[in-house]
Structure formats: structure tokens, C-alpha cells
Amino acid sequence: MSSINVVLGNDALESIVLDLERRHGQALFGFVRRLGLSDAQAADAVQDVLLRLWAELVAGRTIEQPKAWAFRAIYRLAMDQHRLQRRIGAIAERLGRSDEARGDTAPDAGDRIAVWAEVARLPERQQHVLYLRYRADLSFDQIGSVMGITASTARSHATQAMATLRRRLGDETGEAER
Amino acid sequence: MSDERIEKALRQGPPAEPAYIVQLTPADLQGSVAKAPRSTSAFSLFASLGQAVVAAGLVVAVAGIVLIRSGAFETAAKPPTRLADIQARGVIRIAVRPDRPQVTAPGGAIAGFDVDVATEIGRRLGLRVELDFTPADEMLAGRGEWDIALPSSAVEPGTFATTTPYYDWPVQLIVPEGSTAAGPGDLSGSTICVVTGSGGEAWLDGRFRGTSVTPVAVPPTPSAVHRLATDEACSAEVTAGASAALVTAAWSDADLAARPALKRVGGPIFTEGRPVIAVRGERDPAGLLAEIDRILAAMRSDGTLADLSRSRFGGLDLTESQTP
């Protein structure tokens, strides 16, 4: 897989991108939403990244791990967009405008609600690492690459986050697990 | 909570995360190489942060000055129809129910017939789709911020504007395998279980006013009606002998085949026409629903609707007879 674009023709490259969207579009979308983008912006971001990936592949660039590449690219896009939104927000505020947030309506219950409510209380970096590790199923090496940190730092964030979750969720249910 | 449960919940993802709708096609890829991405939001229209900030600042400032000078904050002209409003926005918000005919796949993604239909409607309108997973009773109470909804249930005329039904669901009367009941009338004097708010409940109460492509059977006169939340709960009642029958507006033949202790009484007691709905409001939804009716007709004639039905309903085409 060291030169995927040399070995494979356009049809195969096409299937890589489409398959990536089918299998990991939801996680890319969910991840970038957690970075502060609206639903529409997040969906746009996923498509932008996939189209960029496609353009890179057909241009002959070697991309050994398309999935990790996509997460890295979308993380950078989101960071840029996040900064942009903060500055636009400040301008809009001066003009007396405000943005409205939309509530989520998707259903679910039980452990997911409890766990993700606690995840939302974690420091942002720990939240991102947990999402990438468990939801997107990336290795710590890949997470490090996505977020621009070392693999050991990513692992450390995950360990601290899990310890916090374990403590808080154990406490709230009256369990004594450690 | 154990690590295993925490990790499982993490893998499933946040419960309130909206579904991402897969949109790219091979044609998109082939057409994208020499062009900018097809995204419509401001997000992708700027090449760099610096350009974006300058442009956004100018747009907001100029717009603000123009609106302030014209005193137009309250009186700015709005698009004249709901369809035009949605087209101007570039996004259509479509409510679909989170349960049948949807399914929840491992990992939390929701997929199913209505998701497919909603996505295709949006695609043919040339709009981005925002799916809003809302229980049917909430939709039918008019709650939620959606432009159109697919409640996948019978809709009584009046409150909502509706399209022609895009599929028809056979509502069944189910009894234990050993029952001698041959028709609804044989269940008069018995306890019957039904899901609250379903078309079956309306039928049992003698107030069904939705559309049906098959004759509507005369309902029995039960001694009692147990109104429960799900067909599974009713099924448990029937299996336990607490009810003699249940009316289901959600189970398919495949669902019934998986329950050999139960059987259907005759054919469908009625076949519920299921339309797309829009709330009647200050802006007339007639144009919007007329456009969606046109799209549904096109999907029917080119086979898309039938294909979606067959792929989601075990090979059955429930879209064939859309007219009562």
C-alpha cells in the first residue's frame, strides 16, 4: 500500500473515496461537528475533504492511509473554520446579530447518554482523542498525526479521559469500580 | 459502569449525533478534478482564513449598513412561498421517524426506507437534506422544526397538507397460531391490543379516516382495548393470553415469519396510504408539496421508489398502488 495511486486505476481510486464516505462519513461528520461546525458545514467539510482526497489520488500523490489522511485534513479545516467563526461572530455581535443554535433530536438512551454527557465535560483535547480512538477507530499514532501531537500524548489524553469517565460514571451509579 | 460498557457507548457515538447522508457519486468525483468542490455553504468558498475573514467582515458590515439605513430589519421581503423560502436557504429539513420503517445499524447510524426517500427528494430538489429524527406522534402534533415530514402513518385530512401516498402499508390483525378467528368479526367480545396513536388504533375505534388502497374491514367490537407503546409489547400480551389479538401497522410478513407462535387473520384489514406532510401555516405549502408530488411521480415512473421499497422491505414493492 505504499504507492496506492500508482498500483490502482481510477476506478479503484474512486471506490476508495466512495467507500471511505460510506464507512467513515458518519464519524468524519460527527467529529467535525464536535469541533464546532454546524450540521451543514460539517457535511460540506466531509465532502470537501473527500473531494480533495480524490484530487490528490488522481494527481498521483501517495496516500498510505486515506482514512487517517481524511481525519487529519478535516481537523485542519475545522480548526480554520472555528477560528473564522469566532471572528465572524465578533463582527456580527458588534452589528447586533447573533446566531441560533439548533438542538439535536436524534434518539437514544442508557449508557450512551450517560457516557457522552460525561465526555462533554472533559477537556476538549480529551474529547477529541476519545472520539477519534473509539468512534473513528484510529490508532494513537494516527490520532497524533491528525491532531499534531505525539502518539504518547494522545494515549495519555485517552488514559486520563477514561479514568475520569470511570470515576464519574462509577460514582453516579453507586458502583465502586476503578 | 464497567470499562466495557463505557467503551461500547463510546464506539456507538454520541446519541444526539445527526446522521450523515452519503452523497458522493462517481460522477461527482469524475467532475471534481478540474473544478471546485460542489459545496454550497460559505465554508468551502474561501481558499484561506485571511480571505474568509476579510470577506465575511465586509459582507456582514455592508449588509448591516444597508439594512440599518433602509430600516429593513423587520420588513425585509421574504420569499413568497415556502418552496421559494427553502430554495433560497439551500437546505430542506425533513423529519423522519427513528423507528420503523427505519432501522438503527450498529454504531448508531439510522437507515431505512424513509431515510432513502427523504434523501432522494432532497437530491432531486437540488437541496441539501437535513434529517430530523422525530417520533411520529411528535410530527403529527406539529412539533419540530422541519419543512416536510414522513410520519409513515395514515394522516387524517385537515391539519396537514399532504402529498399522494408514496407507499401503502398493509395493516394486519394478528392472533395466536392456535386461534380459530377467521376475520375481525370473530374477535368481537375479546380483548385486543393496539399501539397508541397508530392507524390500527383509529380503525379499532371506528375513526380511521386515512386513505386505503384495499377495502377497510369492519372493525370488531372488543370487550376491551389495550393501548400499548409498541407492537412487541402487544405481542407479549397476546402470547401471554392477556389479549386475543393485536393490530399492527408496523410488522411486515418477515417480522411475522420470525414469530411462529403468531399468525395473520386473513388479508390486510386496510392498507394505509402514507404521504409526505407539511404543516399548513402562514406560507402556503401547496407549491412545495406539488413539487414533491412531481418528484415522487418521477421516482415511481423511473423505478426508483420501487427499488428503494424492495431493498428495504425484503423484496416487496409497497409503492405500486398509490391511489385509493
Side-chain angles (χ1 to χ4, degrees), chain A residues 41-131:
Chain A
Q41 288 172 329
D44 273 354
V46 174
Q47 290 192 45
D48 281 0
V49 163
L50 292 171
L51 291 173
R52 286 182 194 189
L53 172 62
W54 166 251
E56 294 285 338
L57 290 172
V58 296
R61 186 177 159 201
T62 299
I63 295 177
E64 294 186 4
Q65 298 179 325
K67 176 182 164 188
W69 185 96
F71 273 97
R72 186 165 58 249
I74 208 164
Y75 181 76
R76 289 174 182 166
L77 272 177
M79 289 296 105
D80 283 351
Q81 179 68 3
H82 197 51
R83 293 185 202 106
L84 168 64
Q85 282 187 322
R86 278 206 298 265
R87 297 185 65 176
I88 290 175
I91 295 168
E93 197 176 348
R94 284 201 294 277
L95 289 169
R97 298 185 53 195
S98 64
D99 291 330
E100 291 180 5
R102 242 182 109 246
D104 288 321
T105 54
D108 218 306
D111 289 357
R112 284 175 73 188
I113 290 175
V115 168
W116 283 96
E118 288 303 334
V119 169
R121 295 172 58 196
L122 295 171
E124 274 195 6
R125 288 220 153 191
Q126 292 185 17
Q127 291 185 36
H128 300 336
V129 168
L130 281 190
Y131 195 96

Side-chain angles (χ1 to χ4, degrees), chain B residues 198-215:
Chain B
S198 67
E201 183 186 34
W203 172 77
L204 207 50
D205 292 344
R207 55 180 175 78
F208 176 74
R209 292 198 294 133
T211 60
S212 175
V213 294
T214 55

Side-chain angles (χ1 to χ4, degrees), chain A residues 4 8 15 32 55 59 61 78-79 87 91 120 122 141 144-145 154 158 161 167 171 176:
Chain A
I4 192 170
L8 302 176
S15 71
V32 81
R61 186 177 159 201
M79 289 296 105
R87 297 185 65 176
I91 295 168
L122 295 171
D141 280 342
S145 167
R167 187 176 66 254
D171 285 345

Side-chain angles (χ1 to χ4, degrees), chain B residues 122 136 158 160 174 208 219:
Chain B
F160 297 97
I174 307 294
F208 176 74

Side-chain angles (χ1 to χ4, degrees), chain A residues 21 44 54 105 166 175 177, chain B residues 1 3 20 41 128 132:
Chain A
E21 186 187 30
D44 273 354
W54 166 251
T105 54
R166 208 175 289 127
E175 294 173 18
E177 295 165 17
Chain B
M1 190 181 295
D3 281 8
Y20 172 74
S41 81
R128 181 175 302 288
D132 187 354

Side-chain angles (χ1 to χ4, degrees), chain B:
Chain B
M1 190 181 295
S2 67
D3 281 8
E4 187 182 351
R5 282 171 60 192
I6 292 173
E7 289 177 2
K8 182 180 176 189
L10 289 171
R11 286 196 183 89
Q12 288 174 328
E17 186 175 280
Y20 172 74
I21 307 301
V22 171
Q23 299 184 48
L24 288 179
T25 65
D28 290 327
L29 296 180
Q30 297 298 341
S32 72
V33 176
K35 292 187 289 189
R38 64 176 182 168
S39 307
T40 53
S41 81
F43 178 69
S44 60
L45 299 180
F46 301 104
S48 72
L49 177 63
Q51 286 175 307
V53 170
V54 171
L58 283 173
V59 167
V60 171
V62 170
I65 290 166
V66 168
L67 288 172
I68 289 168
R69 280 176 173 266
S70 65
F73 272 114
E74 300 299 326
T75 58
K78 292 180 177 177
T81 68
R82 207 177 297 182
L83 177 59
D85 189 13
I86 292 166
Q87 287 171 330
R89 194 197 309 148
V91 176
I92 184 166
R93 295 180 297 239
I94 306 181
V96 296
R97 50 194 295 172
D99 51 4
R100 290 168 182 272
Q102 268 57 250
V103 294
T104 302
I110 296 175
F113 182 63
D114 279 351
V115 169
D116 294 344
V117 171
T119 306
E120 185 64 15
I121 287 172
R123 193 184 71 78
R124 294 192 186 209
L125 281 169
L127 298 169
R128 181 175 302 288
V129 174
E130 275 184 14
L131 289 180
D132 187 354
F133 293 101
T134 302
D137 57 346
E138 297 254 321
M139 288 182 211
L140 296 175
R143 287 195 285 270
E145 293 183 12
W146 40 264
D147 299 305
I148 58 172
L150 283 61
S152 263
S153 67
V155 178
E156 295 186 0
T159 310
F160 297 97
T162 64
T163 63
T164 302
Y166 59 96
Y167 79 114
D168 306 289
W169 186 265
V171 179
Q172 315 275 6
L173 193 55
I174 307 294
V175 294
E177 178 59 32
S179 171
T180 57
D186 295 336
L187 290 161
S188 288
S190 303
T191 299
I192 300 180
C193 190
V194 69
V195 174
T196 305
S198 67
E201 183 186 34
W203 172 77
L204 207 50
D205 292 344
R207 55 180 175 78
F208 176 74
R209 292 198 294 133
T211 60
S212 175
V213 294
T214 55
V216 180
V218 177
T221 308
S223 60
V225 176
H226 288 183
R227 301 165 203 271
L228 302 182
T230 64
D231 286 304
E232 284 67 27
C234 278
S235 167
E237 275 228 340
V238 171
T239 305
S243 289
L246 73 99
V247 182
T248 175
W251 280 4
S252 64
D253 287 347
D255 293 317
L256 190 57
R259 296 169 172 85
L262 301 174
K263 68 177 183 182
R264 183 175 53 221
V265 177
I269 52 178
F270 62 94
T271 305
E272 190 172 78
R274 297 179 166 180
V276 176
I277 66 171
V279 176
R280 297 184 195 279
E282 62 182 23
R283 261 174 285 174
D284 187 7
L288 171 63
L289 290 190
E291 182 63 11
I292 292 172
D293 252 334
R294 185 192 65 74
I295 288 170
L296 291 172
M299 288 169 64
R300 188 170 278 115
S301 67
D302 66 20
T304 302
L305 209 50
D307 287 345
L308 294 178
S309 172
R310 281 191 286 264
S311 73
R312 296 296 189 180
F313 296 136
L316 293 177
D317 178 10
L318 299 179
T319 70
E320 280 179 333
S321 44
Q322 74 281 12
T323 309

